[in-house]
Amino acid sequence: MASFLTRSQCTANLVRQGIPRGNLTLSWRRRFSDGNSAAGPAGSATAASVKPSERARSVTSFYHQHAIDQAAAKASVRLMPATMLYSGKSSDGSHILRSCQYLQKELPVRIAHRIAGFRCLPFIVGCNPTILAIHELYIRAFHMVADFPFVATLDDEEKFCTMLTELLHDHRDVVTMLAEGFNETRKHIQDETMIKSFLDKTLTSRLGMRLLCEHHLMLHEEHANQIGIIHVNFSPKALIEKKAESTRKVCEQKYGVSPEVKLIGHISSRFSYIPQPLDYIMHEMLKNAMRATVEYHGAVPSDKLQPITIAIANNPVDFIIRISDRGGGIRHDLLAKVWNYGFSSSSKEDIEPNTNGAAANDGGIFGAMMSNRSFGSMFGYGFGLPACRAYVEYLGGELTLETMQGFGTDIYIRLRHIDGKMESFRI
């Protein structure tokens, strides 16, 4: 059961985090005015770039959130990818207008759901300046979309697209900001399960909204074998090869060597799919596999490293990607922690070594997340693996891990087809 801190205890903790007492007084007033959440100072460059008039509106909305409350009470209308794939294209552009009108109605509801999620965070977490900045970004986004005049013409739609592009740009760093904010408040977190649920919902909701927005924007573009974000002739092999090449370059820049990546299985498979989420997922999986392989085998030439083998299996219901490395596996005492947000095996001690190593860093749900930013892009915030599993499950699939301590690890990614022939997922 969560324990609650008094106002004086919360104030003392926040002062230790570097928040001026004047801002705390304003935050407390906002928090308890009409039962609304706190509104603190902006904690990011993105929030600081908001125009004064827009910023005044977002701050004022902490006092008057009736529209957000109403939208949050509504259910979202999620689309099946097959609907997006087979919705058709009209010569007069009416399909674009219909898509825009759907977004105009749907986005405020989804944004309001996330604002409700921020309101339910423990007070000491919700008062963190970085978390407050994200909260404020969502409130500003709600008003920008909800207050936009009804889109009745293609000229209106063009203006709406300009606003969407701005919002996508404003929210580009939200995941990084979430990691920073929760790392800063880690010591105050009592219920890690609740925080994991919040992050899963926030990250997958963000993914869904970005996919819908990018799909609409890309409907304006003409690309062969592509309808919006959907590639009708998608090749898993081509995507994996591209990600392997880019990840190997990063690995070589960091370590001077990189393992070879071999593809086996149904490498000629092609089908309709949305590549953007898989692109991110494969990057994270390959990054982990390469880092484990290099760190386990030590200073050896690239041609002496064990290769990473990726198998592709395709069937009428789904397709499966297995990533197999010889990176020493994961120690038994660390296995359950790899799915925790913030856990990062950022040193050799976190991977089964050839010789007896020192005790691993046991930082809990947000431990070791921010301590390795200087190590380069082969290391992250500890969001990679749990976020990937949340994304895969959002896409109707499953991500599982099998490890052999002292040998290596296999990751299985199972994803549903989107052609509408079998049950799929909704965005």
Side-chain angles (χ1 to χ4, degrees):
M1 180 177 293
S3 61
F4 297 93
L5 301 177
T6 66
R7 170 175 171 171
S8 60
Q9 288 173 321
C10 289
T11 301
N13 285 331
L14 290 167
V15 168
R16 282 195 292 270
Q17 292 182 30
I19 307 174
R21 284 186 178 272
N23 289 340
L24 287 177
T25 302
L26 181 59
S27 291
W28 278 102
R29 288 175 180 171
R30 288 171 180 160
R31 179 71 178 190
F32 291 106
S33 175
D34 299 327
N36 290 331
S37 299
S44 68
T46 303
S49 66
V50 177
K51 297 178 182 178
S53 60
E54 293 173 341
R55 185 161 183 75
R57 152 159 274 181
S58 67
V59 171
T60 303
S61 66
F62 279 99
Y63 296 95
H64 309 289
Q65 302 198 35
H66 182 64
I68 294 176
D69 295 337
Q70 284 187 318
K74 299 178 181 178
S76 63
V77 180
R78 296 172 62 182
L79 297 180
M80 292 186 66
T83 302
M84 301 162 64
L85 179 61
Y86 301 122
S87 59
K89 181 179 179 180
S90 58
S91 58
D92 59 358
S94 59
H95 66 294
I96 292 179
L97 201 57
R98 289 193 301 270
S99 172
C100 185
Q101 290 168 350
Y102 163 75
L103 281 180
Q104 188 176 25
K105 184 178 180 180
E106 179 67 12
L107 286 179
V109 174
R110 299 195 184 199
I111 296 171
H113 288 172
R114 289 304 91 229
I115 294 172
F118 278 97
R119 291 180 183 176
C120 292
L121 285 172
F123 180 70
I124 195 68
V125 177
C127 278
N128 174 267
T130 309
I131 302 298
L132 275 175
I134 306 170
H135 189 168
E136 192 170 337
L137 280 174
Y138 274 89
I139 291 175
R140 175 176 177 261
F142 175 86
H143 285 294
M144 288 180 67
V145 180
D147 296 347
F148 196 91
F150 178 71
V151 177
T153 67
L154 290 177
D155 287 339
D156 296 337
E157 187 272 338
E158 183 177 353
K159 297 175 183 176
F160 191 85
C161 286
T162 300
M163 179 192 64
L164 284 183
T165 303
E166 178 185 348
L167 288 177
L168 289 173
H169 182 268
D170 286 348
H171 288 246
R172 68 194 184 280
D173 295 328
V174 161
V175 175
T176 301
M177 293 169 68
L178 279 171
E180 292 175 343
F182 279 103
N183 180 65
E184 292 163 2
T185 59
R186 176 185 176 273
K187 61 183 178 181
H188 306 297
I189 293 172
Q190 303 277 336
D191 188 352
E192 296 185 350
T193 302
M194 184 271 289
I195 296 299
K196 184 180 186 304
S197 175
F198 169 82
L199 289 172
D200 281 347
K201 291 178 181 177
T202 300
L203 292 174
T204 55
S205 174
R206 178 179 182 271
L207 172 64
M209 286 189 282
R210 291 190 75 90
L211 288 178
L212 290 175
C213 291
E214 290 174 1
H215 177 73
H216 177 75
L217 294 173
M218 293 181 69
L219 287 176
H220 290 272
E221 304 174 9
E222 294 287 343
H223 296 287
N225 298 317
Q226 188 171 339
I227 300 173
I229 59 173
I230 300 175
H231 288 228
V232 298
N233 197 30
F234 172 69
S235 167
K237 173 178 177 288
L239 183 146
I240 292 169
E241 288 178 337
K242 180 180 178 182
K243 298 312 298 182
E245 180 181 359
S246 62
T247 310
R248 286 193 71 187
K249 289 180 180 178
V250 175
C251 187
E252 288 173 0
Q253 183 179 11
K254 165 64 184 172
Y255 297 104
V257 294
S258 65
E260 181 186 359
V261 177
K262 293 183 176 180
L263 269 69
I264 61 174
H266 301 159
I267 59 177
S268 60
S269 298
R270 289 182 178 271
F271 43 82
S272 298
Y273 203 69
I274 304 170
Q276 287 89 335
L278 186 56
D279 185 281
Y280 171 81
I281 292 165
M282 286 304 306
H283 170 75
E284 290 296 322
M285 299 302 102
L286 283 168
K287 180 181 69 174
N288 290 342
M290 288 188 184
R291 180 159 64 90
T293 301
V294 173
E295 291 186 346
Y296 178 69
H297 290 282
V300 298
S302 293
D303 58 357
K304 299 296 183 181
L305 290 173
Q306 292 290 336
I308 295 169
T309 303
I310 300 180
I312 302 171
N314 185 39
N315 62 75
V317 177
D318 55 20
F319 65 100
I320 305 96
I321 299 174
R322 184 192 67 198
I323 302 103
S324 303
D325 69 61
R326 296 283 296 274
I330 303 170
R331 291 212 318 258
H332 296 300
D333 59 317
L334 300 179
L335 187 56
K337 301 175 184 178
V338 299
W339 301 112
N340 291 344
Y341 284 99
F343 178 79
S344 177
S345 57
S346 56
S347 63
K348 285 187 180 181
E349 287 81 8
D350 291 335
I351 297 179
E352 179 66 10
N354 281 320
T355 58
N356 293 328
N361 183 355
D362 182 9
I365 192 169
F366 296 115
M369 176 163 52
M370 299 294 295
S371 59
N372 297 293
R373 296 180 66 179
S374 62
F375 281 79
S377 53
M378 286 303 287
F379 301 98
Y381 295 102
F383 267 42
L385 199 55
C388 285
R389 184 163 73 168
Y391 291 153
V392 169
E393 291 176 354
Y394 180 80
L395 299 172
E398 184 180 20
L399 191 155
T400 56
L401 178 152
E402 295 292 340
T403 187
M404 299 173 66
Q405 187 176 10
F407 185 77
T409 301
D410 287 357
I411 294 283
Y412 293 85
I413 304 169
R414 183 182 296 270
L415 293 166
R416 289 269 182 171
H417 285 303
I418 65 170
D419 54 14
K421 298 177 181 177
M422 296 288 181
E423 183 181 355
S424 186
F425 59 92
R426 292 180 181 270
I427 297 176

